[in-house]
Amino acid sequence: MLVPLYEAVYERLEVGPATSVLGLGCRSGLALLLAAGRGAEVVGLEPEAELRSLAQDRSLRVMSDVYRELAPEGAGAQPPAHSLVTAFEHLSCIADPLSLVRDAARLTLPGGHVALATWGPPERCESAGVLRVARRLADPLRRAPYAPFALSEPGAVERMVARAGLRLGGGGRVLCPFAYPDLESAVRGLLSMGVFDAAAEYSGTRQVEKEVVEALHPYRRGDGSVRMLNVFRYTLAERVR
């Protein structure tokens, strides 16, 4: 679903054989695979074992912890830096996104770039209503693990970039349709994102599926397919020293 986003960033930064890419939260590795197809050297970080295994099945070098698995021996040792560090999907899924941006800055070569992606404004994302199900059905006494639009407000990502010591380098918005051949595929695909895990744990998978189906109703087409138009935003930053 996010291929247009990946390609827009790679095209903007002219990713190719001279590029070394580190993907933070690379999931099953599709973005890395596209960068490798352009000739780039790629490596990824993915904490979820199942997704990491899928990426490794694609012959990608993907680890659970770049500091532990890539750094040389010795206390305080740093892993190799890269000319491009990406956070395409992980930024909106963690409790401390600023920490991720700071990690990205440390893992970027001077003169290299960090690419951060977030959902666009909720009014420009037809999946917003579906995503609200994940928050509504999660345990209200626990902090919701997924706040997709928390970083969509103007200036939110830019402030993190500045606090991480990076220099802003532009950005853009990309239309990313979420399209599925039928309702069953849509439900299965959305629930596989991990967004609904906390809701399923608290309210039960059956209830989550029921409410996701209801939220998808406006986006069903006459042929039974499901299509939602979403806007994603990418922000580029440069490490200057």
Side-chain angles (χ1 to χ4, degrees):
M1 306 299 176
L2 298 184
V3 166
L5 170 68
Y6 307 149
E7 294 286 19
V9 171
Y10 293 159
E11 189 71 23
R12 177 82 172 262
L13 294 177
E14 298 181 347
V15 168
T19 313
S20 170
V21 179
L22 170 63
L24 300 180
C26 67
R27 299 187 66 77
S28 62
L30 179 56
L32 291 179
L33 200 65
L34 293 173
R38 290 171 169 260
E41 178 183 346
V42 303
V43 63
L45 167 69
E46 175 50 56
E48 293 188 29
E50 185 175 357
L51 290 169
R52 188 167 64 250
S53 178
L54 289 171
Q56 292 166 345
D57 287 345
R58 288 171 156 167
S59 300
L60 294 168
R61 189 183 182 197
V62 176
M63 291 148 291
S64 62
D65 187 334
V66 291
Y67 285 97
R68 179 170 57 83
E69 299 181 47
L70 282 182
E73 296 293 333
Q78 279 285 104
H82 300 262
S83 57
L84 172 60
V85 177
T86 65
F88 284 128
E89 300 172 71
H90 206 45
L91 196 64
S92 299
C93 300
I94 59 174
D96 187 3
L98 176 58
S99 176
L100 177 66
V101 178
R102 284 174 169 159
D103 279 344
R106 284 193 289 268
L107 293 165
T108 304
L109 289 166
H113 290 87
V114 173
L116 307 170
T118 61
W119 288 82
E123 63 272 15
R124 298 286 307 278
C125 297
E126 292 183 339
S127 294
V130 182
L131 297 175
R132 280 194 288 271
V133 172
R135 294 183 64 82
R136 188 171 67 250
L137 296 183
D139 187 345
L141 299 180
R142 295 173 53 190
R143 184 185 184 277
Y146 188 63
F149 301 106
L151 298 176
S152 300
E153 298 177 2
V157 175
E158 289 82 356
R159 286 191 292 271
M160 287 197 302
V161 165
R163 292 177 66 184
L166 296 165
R167 182 172 64 192
L168 282 171
R173 293 184 177 184
V174 183
L175 182 65
C176 296
F178 280 27
Y180 307 91
D182 51 53
L183 185 60
E184 181 182 354
S185 298
V187 174
R188 185 170 65 248
L190 289 164
L191 266 59
S192 73
M193 295 169 60
V195 173
F196 297 89
D197 289 354
E201 180 182 348
Y202 183 72
S203 300
T205 301
R206 181 170 297 182
Q207 182 63 27
V208 172
E209 290 179 346
K210 175 180 178 294
E211 296 207 21
V212 167
V213 167
E214 292 173 357
L216 287 172
H217 181 72
Y219 308 106
R220 296 185 67 182
R221 300 193 165 199
D223 61 359
S225 64
V226 177
R227 183 178 175 87
M228 296 175 285
L229 299 180
N230 297 300
V231 170
F232 281 78
R233 178 187 174 216
Y234 68 87
T235 302
L236 304 178
E238 183 180 0
R239 180 176 174 180
V240 294
R241 64 179 186 278

